[in-house]
Amino acid sequence: MKFYCSILFLLFAINTQAQFFRKKKKKTIQYENIIISDSATQHLVNAIQFETVSKRDSLTFYNTEFKKFKAFLKATYPLVFETCTEIPFNSHSILLKWEGMNPELKPALFMAHQDVVPAKHQKNKWQFPPFGGVIKDGNIYGRGTLDDKSSLIGLLEAAEYALKNNFEPQRTTYFVFGDDEETYGNGAKEIADWFIKNKIEFELILDEGPGVGMDIIPEVPKPIAFIGIAEKGYATVELTVNQESGHSSMPSKHTAIGILSQAIANIENKPFRAHYHGLAKKMFDEIAPEMDFSKKIIFKNSWLFSGMIKKELSKKYSTNALIRTTAATTMFSSGESENVLPHKASATINFRLIPGDSIKDIMPYLKKVINNPKVKVSFKGEAVNASPIAKKKSVGYRALEKSCNEIFPKTIVAPVLVIGSTDSRHFNLTCNNILRFIPMRFKNADLEHIHGFDEHVEIENYHNMIRFYIRLFQNLNDF
């Protein structure tokens, strides 16, 4: 028996070495650094000071801020707004068209959003005013430094730089800057509908997404540039229980709250099935060569160890979300008085669907795991399946990969499933290869500042974003 086990292990080792060690050797591209001026830093500082907040049903309240912000952009990037054609829309969203040299090539589209989440309720927990744009210890503090004004300003800085240096794109380039990504995304949707109506299809769409993780996977010492090649679907369901009311001194065996609580517990205890294939496997195929030998064996031979892999990935919230459709209880409402049995209890469950699972799978799943006819289930608001999966061999992915190797040397480039939602979801009918990536280094500790207290970006990190976009414009001319 030991002999056969030894032979089996040897085969695994040979298979692993043949596949992984060959992939590990990648050229480090030498690239001359671009000097970014102090004015670029000040431009992001100024951008943060516009309180372009979007929250449900209150966008009109911030009309003035959006108008002022657009005026600031026009004044700050004169070459961009003189060279590009602006196509007007009803919302505060911005669409710019930069005419390319070769009309035979499909155009490219770069996206970012102007709006930010509110911060007023957090003011006393910030070191500096959330809309102050304060510089301290080499960092810029303020709402939007991470999500997503740094991308918007970075793109415009790169375009202005390119125009000053007489750069001409081969393919026509569009910029879309939405005004309500943090809420409904209606501004971006209106623009997407315009593209569909005018039958404009893109070679590449690049929107916000993950970045260059420095310590995201502890087993991998190198930075990892995570390029989102798909994003999860989105659906919200409302659970409702109606019961007879009465006095709390004579309760029924199960109150409306109790019945609904049990239903929620069942959902949490019996999640959607985990899958280790598709995007999760593609990501680890790129990352595993940098792991120790035992993990190389496991990930290379996933046909045998998939159960072990799924078990380990399920232990962390971040990796669990990559391998299964998730369900999160985000709202719960019931009761009016401490001595009255509630006649109604309701809860909101938000689903994020992986590719392969569908909206139509949700109701059968809930019926099975809840197993109680007293719990009524209905969809609420928008529901969309996971996006199409972009190809690694596409023009956009190869250009992004080349730019990553130049600006972030010794970095692994890996495809990933984006677990959140972006404005790009509205553009699925206009492009087969939508990518999601922010060229920014980040650590685990940085994630809590997105939509949180003391949101900030390191100045050099922001400057690298500008360098990346400049190189990406140039690299797209080579594909």
Side-chain angles (χ1 to χ4, degrees):
M1 186 65 180
K2 286 183 179 178
F3 173 77
Y4 290 113
C5 287
S6 298
I7 293 295
L8 186 61
F9 180 82
L10 183 61
L11 289 172
F12 287 157
I14 292 171
N15 191 30
T16 301
Q17 186 172 358
Q19 296 296 322
F20 276 148
F21 284 96
R22 207 169 44 226
K23 287 181 69 176
K24 189 175 179 180
K25 297 176 182 176
K26 286 187 177 180
K27 271 188 177 180
T28 300
I29 298 173
Q30 297 298 319
Y31 172 67
E32 186 178 347
N33 205 19
I34 296 171
I35 304 300
I36 305 300
S37 68
D38 291 338
S39 63
T41 302
Q42 189 59 45
H43 293 159
L44 181 57
V45 167
N46 294 342
I48 298 306
Q49 294 169 351
F50 293 93
E51 201 168 342
T52 51
V53 173
S54 71
K55 55 183 182 179
R56 297 179 189 277
D57 304 320
S58 69
L59 201 58
T60 54
F61 181 79
Y62 295 94
N63 262 332
T64 303
E65 288 297 295
F66 279 96
K67 289 177 180 177
K68 287 180 180 177
F69 183 56
K70 185 175 180 181
F72 159 76
L73 295 179
K74 285 187 170 184
T76 306
Y77 304 105
L79 287 178
V80 172
F81 281 86
E82 287 169 12
T83 305
C84 297
T85 302
E86 183 180 356
I87 301 163
F89 287 89
N90 293 324
S91 67
H92 294 294
S93 293
I94 298 171
L95 172 59
L96 300 174
K97 180 184 179 182
W98 187 2
E99 199 70 51
M101 297 291 289
N102 188 347
E104 299 299 316
L105 295 175
K106 281 187 177 181
L109 169 60
F110 294 92
M111 301 180 67
H113 58 89
Q114 307 169 61
D115 61 311
V116 298
V117 295
K120 283 185 177 179
H121 65 290
Q122 303 175 341
K123 271 187 176 180
N124 61 340
K125 296 184 179 180
W126 283 64
Q127 291 184 62
F128 311 105
F131 295 99
V134 174
I135 295 178
K136 179 73 173 178
D137 298 328
N139 297 289
I140 304 172
Y141 283 81
R143 180 62 86 221
T145 49
L146 295 176
D147 185 15
D148 177 42
K149 281 183 177 173
S150 53
S151 292
L152 190 157
I153 299 300
L155 282 166
L156 290 174
E157 288 286 338
E160 191 79 3
Y161 175 96
L163 289 166
K164 282 180 182 177
N165 288 274
N166 302 313
F167 171 78
E168 295 178 308
Q170 285 297 307
R171 57 184 79 241
T172 294
T173 301
Y174 290 88
F175 298 99
V176 170
F177 303 135
D179 66 339
D180 63 342
E181 190 274 344
E182 298 292 0
T183 52
Y184 299 105
N186 288 333
K189 186 178 185 304
E190 184 185 8
I191 294 175
D193 290 341
W194 182 86
F195 283 126
I196 293 168
K197 180 181 177 181
N198 287 278
K199 299 180 180 179
I200 297 173
E201 295 183 3
F202 297 98
E203 180 64 51
L204 158 71
I205 293 178
L206 179 64
D207 199 0
E208 63 177 328
V212 181
M214 307 300 289
D215 61 351
I216 302 304
I217 299 179
E219 295 85 357
V220 179
K222 288 186 177 180
I224 306 170
F226 295 100
I227 297 179
I229 62 173
E231 71 177 46
K232 296 182 86 170
Y234 184 102
T236 301
V237 168
E238 186 172 56
L239 309 183
T240 306
V241 176
N242 291 294
Q243 286 278 85
E244 288 186 11
S245 187
H247 200 281
S248 63
S249 62
M250 297 180 292
S252 56
K253 186 176 181 180
H254 298 291
T255 66
I257 292 175
I259 294 169
L260 188 55
S261 297
Q262 183 60 60
I264 292 169
N266 288 351
I267 293 169
E268 291 180 346
N269 292 329
K270 298 176 182 177
F272 267 74
R273 182 182 174 188
H275 300 276
Y276 185 71
H277 57 60
L279 293 186
K281 186 176 184 302
K282 284 182 181 180
M283 184 184 79
F284 280 100
D285 280 351
E286 295 293 335
I287 294 170
E290 302 298 332
M291 295 181 175
D292 63 46
F293 190 70
S294 62
K295 289 186 174 63
K296 286 186 178 76
I297 290 175
I298 291 171
F299 281 102
K300 172 54 196 167
N301 298 285
S302 58
W303 58 272
L304 180 63
F305 297 113
S306 63
M308 181 191 300
I309 294 170
K310 286 186 286 188
K311 185 177 179 180
E312 287 302 310
L313 296 181
S314 296
K315 291 178 180 179
K316 292 182 180 179
Y317 304 142
S318 55
T319 50
N320 178 61
L322 296 175
I323 60 173
R324 61 159 47 90
T325 292
T326 57
T329 306
T330 55
M331 299 171 69
F332 193 106
S333 176
S334 186
E336 296 178 358
S337 176
E338 65 186 62
N339 61 351
V340 177
L341 299 175
H343 67 88
K344 181 180 179 180
S346 63
T348 299
I349 314 291
N350 184 243
F351 288 85
R352 302 299 174 109
L353 298 104
I354 62 170
D357 286 345
S358 169
I359 295 165
K360 66 182 181 182
D361 299 324
I362 292 176
M363 287 302 174
Y365 159 78
L366 289 174
K367 184 177 180 181
K368 182 178 179 180
V369 299
I370 294 173
N371 194 28
N372 190 335
K374 290 185 177 180
V375 181
K376 307 302 179 186
V377 184
S378 60
F379 280 108
K380 180 181 178 182
E382 179 188 39
V384 292
N385 286 319
S387 73
I389 300 172
K391 293 179 175 62
K392 283 180 60 182
K393 292 183 179 180
S394 67
V395 166
Y397 192 95
R398 286 185 290 144
L400 254 70
E401 186 173 37
K402 183 180 178 184
S403 303
C404 283
N405 289 330
E406 292 172 339
I407 305 301
F408 307 108
K410 298 181 181 179
T411 294
I412 305 164
V413 180
V416 72
L417 173 64
V418 175
I419 59 176
S421 294
T422 67
D423 271 344
S424 69
R425 70 186 185 276
H426 301 298
F427 292 78
N428 288 334
L429 295 178
T430 69
C431 184
N432 293 324
N433 294 293
I434 299 177
L435 302 173
R436 301 149 189 90
F437 178 72
I438 290 182
M440 178 187 293
R441 291 188 177 98
F442 69 98
K443 296 181 178 179
N444 265 312
D446 297 322
L447 300 178
E448 65 186 49
H449 296 295
I450 301 173
H451 291 196
F453 314 131
D454 290 334
E455 185 178 347
H456 64 276
V457 64
E458 186 183 9
I459 291 173
E460 185 57 24
N461 207 359
Y462 160 61
H463 285 185
N464 272 334
M465 295 178 71
I466 300 170
R467 295 183 183 107
F468 180 91
Y469 289 131
I470 291 169
R471 286 301 298 151
L472 183 55
F473 293 158
Q474 295 168 344
N475 286 330
L476 279 171
N477 273 2
D478 298 332
F479 291 95

